[in-house]
Amino acid sequence: MLALGTQAFELLREVKDYAIYMIDPEGTVLTWNDGARAIKGYSAAEIVGQHFSRFFMPEDRTAGRPARLLQTAREQGRVEDYAFRVRKDGTRFWANVVITAIHDEAGAIRGFVKVTRDLTERRTAEHLLRQSEERLRLLIEGVKDYAIYMLDPKGAILSWNAGAQRIKGYAAGEVLGRHFSMFYPEELRYSGHPERELQIAQETGRYEEEGVRVRKNGERFWANVVLTPVYEWDGGPLRGFAKVTRDLTERRAAEEAMRSASEQIQLERLRTEEAQNALRARDEFISVAAHELRTPLAALLLKIQGARAMVVRQREGDPASAPPKVLDRLESALGQIGRLTDLVQRLLDVSGIVRGKLVLRCEEASMSSLLRRVVDDLSDALAKAGCEVTVNAPGAASGCWDPSRIEQVLANLVSNALKYGAGRPIELRVEEDGDDVRVLVTDHGIGIRSGDMDRIFGRFERAVPLDNYSGLGLGLYIAKSIVEAHGGSIRVASAPGQPTVFTMQLPRRPAPAAQVSGSAVESSS
Ligand code: ADP
């Protein structure tokens, strides 16, 4: 029970932060202080003698709140109220009101002391804080790309957001209260890694790492994790940790794909380089070998030719003196030397073409005549292979070409026809087509699969087993190089079991543009 004399009110008159005044048992204002004036806006003269219910909101007045408060204070000695009150100018403010009953010595009620505090500012600040906390909470809860959740100081999970559910696969109810080490692979859990993270975060203010985590379904994923300690207030006790986890699986997969792609490219580059080096080494070897073979071969040819001349002379002098069959054998040796010289020449041609040293000596020539000469030269071989040859070359089909090189091409095509189409007829045809001349070589041999048709014009490329058909795989390469140096083209049409048709097409006059890839055209016309 409180008893306050008027003297005490004198002391309180100047208190500014609180409205402190007395009301009589019915609620009429008896005293007024500076604080009351500042908070409510009335001067003492205006308000003393008025009923205190005028400070209440109209709806509170209607509801009988003023009388109820006094009744409670009367019964319990004291009542506290938080509510809006109204100032003189009609504006409202959030108030904390304490009403204390005052009794006289006999215990009869003398009135009440009212202490009112204006909480508007505090309330606004608290309200704003609550609002922003709520907004932040909603925001965090809604984030789907990041798992964001709180841990208590020991690592127990306190909150869970949509991202956490999406990334880790657990619903909030399955994880709240559990230790966050549940997201770590066993080996990390046993080594105390999760606890170490908390410790480092606390010691240094932050912990970040990229590492493996485990989803509810047991799947491991690559994650970026940031752990930040949260304190009650600056310098206050540890409240827990905020943990943000990002799923980097996709980024990692992309990085890995990039890495393996670039490794693959690197590997391919190395392989290509190796292959090119091997090709260069082979070309060099061929060139050196061909040059080295040429000299002894020329010497051998001279020796055998010399021996044959001696035998012929000896025979002329004394036919009986010459051993039987020597001449035949020397002739056959000369034939073999001729073939060997041919092969060496091909190798020299190839290394010349590779080095861009194919020189054409062009002069007027008739394609039909060149073709007939080739057939003539090969007549023995054609007969041996059992190939009947038809030549269809009505006109001269003349042009300006390197005759020996063109003969080389034709000889190659006809030799192939008899090699791959032995025992079957061969048709040769020369066509004139304006500025172009065409030669078609058709055989009815083994044919060529479509997948091999481009390849066989490459260096050392063959589409038949060496056991069945001997050869270096250089003839078509040389033929193509010669034809292209003339500005022409060579192609093939075939299929297994179908006729094979090689077509060489040449312009009658090689254009200057034909002097490509290091080849040179010299013209005598
Ligand atoms: P080689 O005949 O010495 O192997 P070529 O460069 O002349 O070399 O021919 C390359 C390849 O093309 C041959 O190995 C063969 O597989 C194929 N080929 C060439 N001409 C014919 C043809 N008329 N019929 C079938 N295949 C052929």
Side-chain angles (χ1 to χ4, degrees):
M1 278 203 195
L2 188 76
L4 263 183
T6 31
Q7 248 184 342
F9 272 101
E10 293 300 315
L11 291 174
L12 294 174
R13 181 161 291 154
E14 290 180 13
V15 172
K16 293 228 170 45
D17 295 337
Y18 296 86
I20 304 173
Y21 56 99
M22 260 192 85
I23 49 179
D24 71 9
E26 277 68 49
T28 306
V29 178
L30 299 174
T31 67
W32 200 241
N33 78 333
D34 287 355
R37 199 178 55 217
I39 293 172
K40 313 221 188 205
Y42 299 97
S43 68
E46 284 173 305
I47 208 71
V48 171
Q50 302 284 329
H51 197 265
F52 89 116
S53 60
R54 68 183 309 150
F55 308 132
F56 285 73
M57 299 284 283
E59 59 270 28
D60 285 345
R61 268 206 305 271
T62 317
R65 191 175 183 128
R68 224 175 23 254
L69 285 174
L70 291 189
Q71 181 60 30
T72 312
R74 197 175 280 126
E75 288 166 9
Q76 299 177 4
R78 185 179 180 279
V79 68
E80 186 164 3
D81 187 27
Y82 284 89
F84 281 110
R85 292 288 191 272
V86 185
R87 292 193 183 93
K88 182 186 169 189
D89 63 7
T91 56
R92 46 180 218 166
F93 67 99
W94 185 250
N96 167 253
V97 179
V98 178
I99 303 175
T100 313
I102 301 174
H103 302 83
D104 60 17
E105 286 83 27
I109 193 114
R110 269 187 61 194
F112 304 90
V113 175
K114 266 197 82 194
V115 181
T116 303
R117 253 187 315 154
D118 182 350
L119 295 182
T120 311
E121 261 178 39
R122 198 153 75 144
R123 187 165 188 270
T124 313
E126 271 173 13
H127 183 64
L128 286 179
L129 189 67
R130 243 199 322 277
Q131 263 190 342
S132 88
E133 274 179 358
E134 177 67 5
R135 258 188 241 121
L136 185 66
R137 191 178 62 75
L138 288 173
L139 190 90
I140 289 175
E141 272 180 7
V143 169
K144 294 230 167 58
D145 294 335
Y146 295 82
I148 305 176
Y149 53 99
M150 279 288 299
L151 304 176
D152 76 3
K154 292 218 156 62
I157 299 159
L158 295 176
S159 71
W160 200 239
N161 78 335
Q165 173 153 1
R166 191 182 68 84
I167 293 174
K168 316 229 186 205
Y170 293 97
E174 296 173 292
V175 294
L176 290 178
R178 292 179 66 187
H179 196 261
F180 81 112
S181 58
M182 65 187 284
F183 309 127
Y184 288 70
E186 218 164 278
E187 60 276 15
L188 287 180
R189 246 186 355 242
Y190 287 138
S191 70
H193 187 83
E195 290 75 11
R196 216 162 30 249
E197 284 186 10
L198 295 186
Q199 194 187 341
I200 296 172
Q202 204 179 341
E203 281 167 9
T204 64
R206 189 169 189 276
Y207 178 82
E208 176 165 7
E209 73 158 28
E210 283 190 13
V212 177
R213 295 293 181 271
V214 186
R215 295 190 224 274
K216 184 182 174 186
N217 64 8
E219 186 185 89
R220 290 177 171 222
F221 67 102
W222 189 253
N224 168 278
V225 178
V226 178
L227 204 64
T228 319
V230 178
Y231 296 94
E232 289 290 352
W233 61 84
D234 226 8
L238 182 69
R239 196 165 140 195
F241 298 89
K243 197 158 185 280
V244 180
T245 304
R246 224 166 6 132
D247 184 346
L248 298 182
T249 313
E250 277 174 23
R251 195 193 78 186
R252 200 165 196 230
E255 278 172 0
E256 231 137 65
M258 289 258 289
R259 203 170 23 247
S260 84
S262 78
E263 274 172 12
Q264 201 60 35
I265 291 171
Q266 191 68 17
L267 209 67
E268 289 295 323
R269 197 174 292 147
L270 275 177
R271 274 200 204 120
T272 315
E273 245 168 57
E274 269 172 24
Q276 277 170 346
N277 285 344
L279 274 182
R280 243 192 313 276
R282 189 186 66 183
D283 289 341
E284 245 160 61
F285 170 77
I286 289 169
S287 166
V288 169
H291 278 101
E292 290 298 315
L293 282 171
R294 197 160 59 161
T295 318
L297 209 54
L300 186 63
L301 180 65
L302 281 176
K303 290 230 160 79
I304 302 283
Q305 280 170 340
R308 188 181 62 172
M310 279 168 63
V311 172
V312 169
R313 265 201 309 277
Q314 198 174 351
R315 219 187 232 179
E316 279 166 0
D318 176 8
S321 66
K325 295 198 179 159
V326 167
L327 202 56
D328 287 352
R329 290 193 180 162
L330 286 175
E331 290 291 355
S332 144
L334 280 173
Q336 300 293 352
I337 289 172
R339 264 197 291 285
L340 206 53
T341 311
D342 234 36
L343 280 175
V344 170
Q345 188 53 46
R346 270 187 198 202
L347 293 178
L348 284 171
D349 278 350
V350 168
S351 68
I353 290 166
V354 170
R355 283 154 204 252
K357 282 189 191 150
L358 182 61
V359 178
L360 301 182
R361 292 185 178 81
C362 290
E363 58 188 65
E364 278 299 314
S366 154
M367 188 61 79
S368 301
S369 310
L370 293 177
L371 184 62
R372 286 202 181 87
R373 190 147 73 220
V374 166
V375 174
D376 244 29
D377 287 349
L378 289 173
S379 56
D380 282 353
L382 284 163
K384 217 160 133 197
C387 291
E388 227 171 70
V389 180
T390 336
V391 179
N392 190 341
S398 53
C400 184
W401 308 296
D402 183 329
S404 67
R405 289 298 192 182
I406 296 301
E407 267 185 36
Q408 196 180 348
V409 174
L410 294 172
N412 188 268
L413 295 180
V414 176
S415 303
N416 278 351
L418 73 88
K419 177 155 80 171
Y420 299 108
R424 311 267 173 88
I426 295 171
E427 289 107 41
L428 306 174
R429 167 191 286 273
V430 177
E431 292 176 353
E432 295 184 68
D433 182 5
D435 289 341
D436 287 345
V437 168
R438 256 193 312 271
V439 179
L440 289 84
V441 178
T442 306
D443 69 62
H444 299 266
I446 58 172
I448 303 167
R449 284 180 306 156
S450 65
D452 292 328
M453 287 212 270
D454 282 337
R455 191 170 67 77
I456 53 173
F457 291 98
R459 246 185 308 165
F460 300 104
E461 291 290 353
R462 312 193 70 229
V464 286
L466 201 57
D467 290 350
N468 301 359
Y469 300 95
S470 66
L472 290 175
L474 290 175
L476 289 180
Y477 171 72
I478 296 169
K480 184 170 187 256
S481 304
I482 292 171
V483 170
E484 285 178 352
H486 281 87
S489 64
I490 185 165
R491 57 183 189 276
V492 63
S494 180
Q498 296 291 311
T500 299
V501 187
F502 279 90
T503 305
M504 171 180 77
Q505 176 144 349
L506 286 182
R508 289 186 198 265
R509 283 168 215 283
Q515 300 165 31
V516 286
S517 61
S519 59
V521 180
E522 293 172 4
S523 180
S524 58
S525 61

